[in-house]
Amino acid sequence: MSILRCMSEPAKGKRLLITSSAAIIQRVPPRSIWKQACLHLTTGGAFSQDSLEAYLHHTGYILDERVDEPGEAAIRGQVIDLFPASSLLPYRIEHDGHSVTAIRSYDPVSQRTETEIDSLLLDPASEILLERADDGSLPERFDGMEHRLPEHYGSLATVFDYWPDAPIVIASGAEERRQLVMEQVADAYESRMSLRGEVSGSASALATERLFIGDDEWQEILRERRLTVIQAPSEGEAQKSTVLCFAATARPAKAFASFVQAQQGSDHKLVLAAATKEDLSRMRRRAQSLQLNSVMIERWSDAVDGPPKGIFALQADIRNGFIDHRNGIAVVTAFDLLGSRASSGREQDIRSAAHQSTDMQFQVGDAVIHVDHGLGLLQGTEAISTDEEGTSDTIRLIYAGDTILMIPATDMGRVWRYGRMSESLQLDKLKSDAWITKLAAIEVETRETAARLSQLVKDREAVKLEPIVPLGRDYERFVARFPFSETTDQLRAIEEVLEDLASGHPMDRLICGDVGFGKTEVALRAAAAVALSGKQVAVLAPTTVLARQHVRSFQRRLAGFGLEVAHLSRLVTASEARAVKNGLADGSVRIVIGTHALAAKGVKFKDLGLVIIDEEQRFGAAQKAKLRAIASRGHILTLTATPIPRTLQSALVGLQELSVIATPPARRQPIRTFLTEFDPATARQALMRERRRQGQSFVVCSRVEDLDPMREQLARIVPELKVIVAHGQMPPAETDDVMVRFADGEGDILLATNIIESGLDVPRANTMLVWRADRFGLSQLHQLRGRVGRGRIRGTTYLLTEQGQQLPKATEKRLRTLEALDRLGAGFAISAQDLDQRGAGALLGEEQAGHIKFVGADLYQHLLKRALRGETYAEDWAPELNIGLKGCIPAEYVHEPEVRINLYARIARIDVSESIDDLEEEIEDRFGPLPEALRHLLRFTSMKQICHRMGIGRIDAGPQAIALSFRPGIADNLPVKDVIAEAQGALRWSGERLVLAVAEEQTDKREKCVLDLLARLEQ
């Protein structure tokens, strides 16, 4: 919509619109809507909350507690978070009720503000702008209303109506794509009309000409405007404009010097381009070594207007160099010159994203663990009157027999989230010794686990290996064959793996990245580095199909390097298997790829340097133990999109090193996911759309017995499409053959069970229908939908249920979770959801349910971390302060109870090493100026931090004296005697307490006395 708004504004110069065949033929809202479609907020300008709320509803924004996606808003008193539909970042607006006082952008992950701006323009989040009814009310929005756009506006416009005099330039192939889109539109309309009767209550289909520009109208538009058609260059012409990758040559410096000399001889200018200032400086130094001084420029036009043979430096993220013969310019990029050491410049902290995804927050209705009372139900907050003026927040917990426990909200540090409440959970009884006994047993087990973990780490660190450093020329040649731009996270993961290999200690690293995010490339780089150094590599895949695909990928990328890539699985013959085993034993086979057969007794390696385990969640614990055993004195690299909870837990507590690939490839788009009842018209529309764009589709059933009925259904609704079938009850060789043939392009639809979830790479497949999705697990469904949308076209997955089927609430919530987590990189979050639902199991045991089921993942991990540091539960104490200083988070400051609960927990659990000032700044940043009650709470928390650090268990402060009670043995390490002597009789030692005689009625002055005393003791 922001593009249409820009097009509707008066021209301020030359303008260019770049669009696609599918977008240009769609009808759009008329230009007249823009008179009331936007809202302009300026610092110092007038503000009305009622007007803003009306605008947000009018233009399709969604109100939410946390704003992190375009089209969302949150109103929190004098602070309003908005994510404009056309913006890359959300914004935080502060106001005083009458005017805007500040507008700042903020990070959607950390929620911290970044840059202050003077004004903000809001565009609509929907094509439909709701108008008030005669009684002044606004109608409600409903899903899919944009699909009936013509019924809302009197008449629709086209993009050409916005710029009636603009010429048209059509790229090669664009007209063919437009025709395919129109065929798809026509077929969808016909399907909807013919199959409409099978679905009761379905709305009538709108005529295609009401939504799209038809063929006749399209030809008329082209006749009325100046038309230019761009033809694709021939292969020879394209070769003339290509720049060599110097880093992959035998002598990169000489190759670069020869290229520069040739371009200078042709009077060509040279532009050095890099994404970061650091890489650009390195490139300029390379040029300077050739006696070439470069000039920094800010835009391409500076180079075009520059003198012949000029040398320029431009900060721009360009992957490969090229030669612009028209303007006489040769462009050399950082990747051309620096190879794999070049940076993409899109730096971001992926660890925060990973932990953000695994940080499950408290929600009302959750099962929680209070460390003193056990498993209860979090029912909500309740304000109670205090003896002094005002109120205080308490947390209501429900235990067995509907017993109620009210705890101060400031005690949330002793409450841990267990997970979602379910009927199978049995709440603990209050005032019972059962919980204390259970917790003591779990702590013993945790200490034993920590001891074994620590020993494992020590054993691994004690092993000394020969450092592996990839050879320059061959490794750069290998890297140069990667046809895509690495993402920031990919580059970081590759760098971390190479550092591990060069460390001289065994690597055990988990690469967690969503489906299609480039984990295989990280594995390829690691394998190349190890194999080129002379050692062997074993790559293990859970299925023969995935193993075969890996064999093809590795052979293609490593061709010409003199490295033999072998295959060992049930697909190879007995004689081939013997030859591979002999090659592994004598070292002639450098890389072997296979299934768990690689861990068989007859397989021996001469010099195994690296084991790569792909799709590790598909292997059982016993299988993985065998796989790890073969790499006992080598490196281990594990790849997964949705790590099983045990693996995720072990990575988060430090048993494995963790690299997260959270950045999607540049052209990868999120997979659209819809939960809906089965509708023959919708199914035909989806499958035929895929066929018309020369793609393929998956139809997945949970049971083999569902395949034949579904095949009959498909034969009826899409008789023109070829369906092939694969399932686990077929002979293994036949199953593999079918799946590989489909991956090679044979067939329009693969009808299969969930055997396709592991690694089947079909770049042309972009549509998936999952029948009876309620029968699949969360991670299974995410893996399944990762099979589509792996090319440049956005994938779509339909989670289908039977018509009229009433799903259990828990099941629907699980499927809605997947529907909501359709963003790129959701695999890590889904794994955290899985961990939340079924626990992580014992880290070192066979059982999946382990002791963690008794205390929940959060508390178990907390206990385990303490045990790894050698601390016991008894040492997990908190100072008790009775100084008259109270504090709370007022409901009028943070309105949502759940947000307040989580904020209380955050404050209560702040670590001794963390800064209260930073937390105060963050809260003020998110919610506005701090009220006095919250300032009191933060000062109270700061004092508890000091006491914990000094070992002071309790402080009592009254009108006549202040008493400090120390934990056993602590006072001997503090300068207590010196402080008493300096106090000249005001301080005295009484039992285990240090007493300060001071008459002070006012709380704030007593607080100052306490802080002064603590400061003297801490000197």
Side-chain angles (χ1 to χ4, degrees), residues 251 282 409 439 485 718 736:
R251 301 177 65 184
R282 294 164 70 188
L439 184 61
S485 297
V718 282
D736 293 331

Side-chain angles (χ1 to χ4, degrees), residues 4 33 68 72 87 184 442 453 486 507-508 559 673 729:
L4 293 178
I33 70 165
D68 52 14
E72 293 181 342
S87 175
Q184 171 190 323
I442 291 170
L453 289 178
E486 300 93 339
M507 171 179 69
D508 191 353
T673 305
Q729 294 182 11

Side-chain angles (χ1 to χ4, degrees), residues 6 9 15 107 131 221 433 465 516 525 552 567 763 791 896 967 1011:
C6 293
E9 296 171 349
R15 299 189 291 185
D107 185 327
E131 301 297 336
I221 289 170
D433 294 335
L465 298 177
R525 302 276 178 104
R552 290 182 177 181
H567 180 195
E896 300 83 1
R967 291 174 62 77
L1011 290 173

